[in-house]
Amino acid sequence: MLIELVNVSKTFSDGHRALSNINIKIDNGEFVFLVGPSGAGKSTLIKLLLKELEADQGTILINDKDVTRMKRKDIPFLRRSIGVVFQDFRLLHEKTVYENVAFAMEVVEAPAKDIRRQVPIVLSLVGLSKKSNLYPSQLSGGEQQRVSLARAMVNGPSILIADEPTGNLDPDTSWEIMRNLSEINHRGTTILMATHAKEIVDAMKKRVIAIEECTIARDDKKGGYGI
Amino acid sequence: MIEILQYEFMQRAFIAGIMVAVTCPLIGIFIVLKRLSMIGDTLSHASLAGIAAGMLWGFYPFWGALAFSVTGAIAIEKLRKTFSKYEEISNSIILSTGIGLAVVMIGLAKGFNTDLMGYLFGSIAAVNSQDIYIMSALSLVIILSVIVLYKKLFYIAFDEEGAQISGISVDFLNIYLTILTALTVVVSMRIVGVFMVSSMLVIPVAAAIQAGTGFIKTMILSVVFALISVVLGLILSYYLDIAPGGTIVLLSVLILLIVIFTKGIKKEK
């Protein structure tokens, strides 16, 4: 099992309950949509997986490692095994497409040889080989999101978390991103995508976990968005 | 110009000044981008307590300043976690503690003398060879740290959360940057004075941000601005017999104003 949450609960210090008794198992190579109304706990769940937040109760296992009991010094290594894509791309604007992607390897001190080999591979995976010398401001929204996808994948993570990756994009561009994500998934990376995009979830026929009022309302193997 | 370089104390002042002009903007740019401009003030007040301790118990004030400012740096980071919703409180607490301790110890040491004034407002004549050795060692640590950690510090300054989830030890680097700031404060206090160290961390960077594009250019430009302020400031303070700290800081403010003014004219065109 790649990701396993057992009886996980989280309440914030102001008393606001975010997640209650969550149990999820995600296998290697799965594609999982995380749906539910804003504030239902999707972002909290993602932050728990990345150990940006601590669970009050329960156990979270990633790659068989107990994240809840992990020592502080091991947290950066956990995060390097997970790629993350955000709604707002978060690219560095004074760096080119190539430099943005290479930077993600440089900061974790990857050897220069690996960087030169790996960056063109992920850029071609997202179809941006010809735009590697452009700056983010010269790209469309969809292309910027593809750069951030390449950046998230460049260190070869086993899990890719996408938090509303199509939230700022029009429907056509959103489908381009979904094609990229499917391709990445076919190559073996597990994908967990939080989204509000009903059409996408309904059309993809993938596993859907719905979180409502801090608990799992539904976990369907080939589900739809629901109401 | 040649004439003033004949004096050994002026040579030392220039060497010390150049170290200040290089290290302050190098650290200052990260401080400014992280919106922590207050931290220089806080740490300089902590270092003042160390100077006072040195005067009271008769040890070399530099060591006191170093110990107190580094301790202050670590305390700020710890307190920031305690008051996570009101992070700036940690600055106020350490600043108050520093100045409180300093005033009490200076009083006990009956130390309101020219030596203290030198530390407060900066002094040309007071820089001795021992100061230069310590300042050189600290400057070396600061410069090498920035070179080695440049990419990580850059990422944290622009997108702390992004840096964190990409697997950078952000907590450790934040503490380390604060400690580097403490070291920079100690390097600078002799020439610019405790009261004005913070300005040297912030103002040349502010001017460079107005003028430059891109991070590296901004960094280089801020060092150039700081060098101009320090060198001119030292010459002026020698000939006019005024405290170097204020002169240097006023010159850097003047550069900032010129940059803002010329930028305004360019925009109108």
Side-chain angles (χ1 to χ4, degrees):
Chain A
M1 203 59 60
L2 188 62
I3 302 173
E4 193 169 352
L5 285 86
V6 186
N7 298 326
V8 172
S9 297
K10 172 73 190 172
T11 304
F12 288 106
S13 53
D14 59 2
H16 166 69
R17 170 157 279 222
L19 289 173
S20 169
N21 219 16
I22 300 285
N23 287 285
I24 298 175
K25 282 182 182 181
I26 297 174
D27 231 334
N28 244 321
E30 277 198 82
F31 193 125
V32 181
F33 285 115
L34 199 57
V35 303
S38 301
K42 299 192 296 291
S43 298
T44 305
L45 182 67
I46 288 175
K47 286 193 166 138
L48 288 175
L49 292 175
L50 291 165
K51 213 167 160 68
E52 283 189 85
L53 289 174
E54 300 280 348
D56 306 325
Q57 273 174 36
T59 310
I60 300 172
L61 298 168
I62 293 178
N63 275 324
D64 297 323
K65 284 193 190 110
D66 187 347
V67 174
T68 32
R69 298 211 183 117
M70 190 171 265
K71 285 183 191 145
R72 278 173 78 96
K73 68 175 172 52
D74 293 327
I75 298 172
F77 295 97
L78 162 80
R79 290 176 179 148
R80 288 175 202 182
S81 69
I82 304 175
V84 187
V85 178
F86 299 98
Q87 180 173 357
D88 53 0
F89 323 140
R90 301 173 84 152
L91 300 174
L92 297 166
H93 286 274
E94 60 178 59
K95 292 189 180 287
T96 64
V97 167
Y98 183 96
E99 288 164 351
N100 261 284
V101 178
F103 192 67
M105 292 187 82
E106 289 164 1
V107 290
V108 295
E109 283 152 24
K113 188 175 68 165
D114 294 359
I115 297 176
R116 281 196 300 274
R117 193 189 59 225
Q118 195 60 22
V119 177
I121 293 175
V122 286
L123 281 178
S124 96
L125 178 70
V126 296
L128 283 177
S129 301
K130 287 185 181 149
K131 305 212 167 179
S132 61
N133 290 323
L134 297 183
Y135 287 89
S137 59
Q138 297 170 291
L139 301 178
S140 69
E143 287 167 334
Q144 291 189 43
Q145 188 58 297
R146 276 146 66 196
V147 179
S148 78
L149 210 51
R151 183 181 59 184
M153 290 307 300
V154 77
N155 285 313
S158 50
I159 303 166
L160 178 68
I161 292 178
D163 193 0
E164 302 265 4
T166 61
N168 283 353
L169 304 173
D170 61 58
D172 287 348
T173 321
S174 298
W175 278 112
E176 279 174 32
I177 297 296
M178 293 316 296
R179 273 192 287 278
N180 287 146
L181 285 172
S182 287
E183 171 71 22
I184 288 166
N185 180 234
H186 279 305
R187 289 170 182 239
T189 307
T190 304
I191 293 181
L192 180 64
M193 170 169 161
T195 185
H196 285 122
K198 183 177 186 314
E199 301 75 26
I200 288 174
V201 177
D202 286 341
M204 295 276 290
K205 304 254 181 303
K206 301 283 187 189
R207 181 174 169 191
V208 177
I209 297 175
I211 298 188
E212 283 169 26
E213 292 175 4
C214 320
T215 57
I216 295 183
R218 191 156 53 85
D219 186 348
D220 296 334
K221 264 241 148 29
K222 286 190 177 174
Y225 189 83
I227 314 148
Chain B
M1 181 70 206
I2 306 287
E3 172 212 319
I4 65 173
L5 279 177
Q6 285 170 349
Y7 300 108
E8 253 181 55
F9 74 92
M10 274 319 280
Q11 291 169 4
R12 283 197 296 268
F14 275 106
I15 293 169
I18 288 165
M19 288 194 268
V20 173
V22 173
T23 53
C24 275
L26 228 47
I27 295 299
I29 193 162
F30 295 107
I31 300 287
V32 169
L33 287 173
K34 283 164 67 69
R35 292 168 176 74
L36 294 173
S37 299
M38 266 294 288
I39 213 164
D41 255 329
T42 306
L43 293 174
S44 59
H45 285 82
S47 72
L48 183 60
I51 292 164
M55 289 177 166
L56 180 59
W57 287 297
F59 57 86
Y60 184 42
F62 239 102
W63 297 130
L66 193 59
F68 274 68
S69 64
V70 170
T71 311
I74 295 166
I76 288 173
E77 291 296 326
K78 295 283 173 207
L79 283 171
R80 193 175 286 157
K81 289 250 152 62
T82 314
F83 297 99
S84 57
K85 283 189 182 159
Y86 314 94
E87 288 186 11
E88 75 284 0
I89 283 185
S90 60
N91 270 312
S92 303
I93 295 171
I94 301 302
L95 192 147
S96 317
T97 314
I99 195 79
L101 280 172
V103 168
V104 169
M105 287 192 281
I106 290 167
L108 288 175
K110 305 209 178 349
F112 289 99
N113 52 27
T114 47
D115 207 15
L116 177 68
M117 291 302 153
Y119 280 109
L120 291 181
F121 301 109
S123 160
I124 296 180
V127 185
N128 60 34
S129 337
Q130 194 180 0
D131 296 344
I132 293 284
Y133 290 135
I134 297 175
M135 289 170 79
S136 310
L138 296 179
S139 300
L140 197 66
V141 171
I142 294 163
I143 294 166
L144 284 180
S145 298
V146 171
I147 292 171
V148 171
L149 299 171
Y150 168 73
K151 285 193 166 130
K152 291 178 183 179
L153 292 174
F154 172 88
Y155 201 177
I156 294 172
F158 280 97
D159 181 1
E160 182 157 329
E161 196 193 356
Q164 190 154 333
I165 57 178
S166 70
I168 294 175
S169 309
V170 172
D171 289 349
F172 167 76
L173 286 171
N174 277 340
I175 294 182
Y176 193 70
L177 181 66
T178 313
I179 292 175
L180 287 180
T181 313
L183 301 188
T184 311
V185 164
V186 176
V187 168
S188 315
M189 65 182 191
R190 219 58 181 110
I191 287 287
V192 275
V194 166
F195 283 150
M196 280 154 292
V197 171
S198 175
S199 323
M200 280 315 283
L201 282 166
V202 175
I203 295 171
V205 175
I209 286 175
Q210 284 294 315
T213 53
F215 189 78
I216 293 275
K217 273 189 202 161
T218 307
M219 202 182 226
I220 293 169
L221 202 57
S222 58
V223 172
V224 171
F225 287 160
L227 279 170
I228 296 171
S229 321
V230 167
V231 172
L232 273 181
L234 287 176
I235 294 170
L236 281 177
S237 76
Y238 170 82
Y239 283 113
L240 303 176
D241 195 20
I242 43 181
T247 322
I248 291 168
V249 168
L250 285 178
L251 282 169
S252 64
V253 172
L254 185 66
I255 292 174
L256 173 67
L257 292 177
I258 293 170
V259 171
I260 294 174
F261 186 65
T262 23
K263 205 179 154 196
I265 292 175
K266 269 189 195 162
K267 259 192 188 165
E268 272 175 29
K269 280 181 184 171

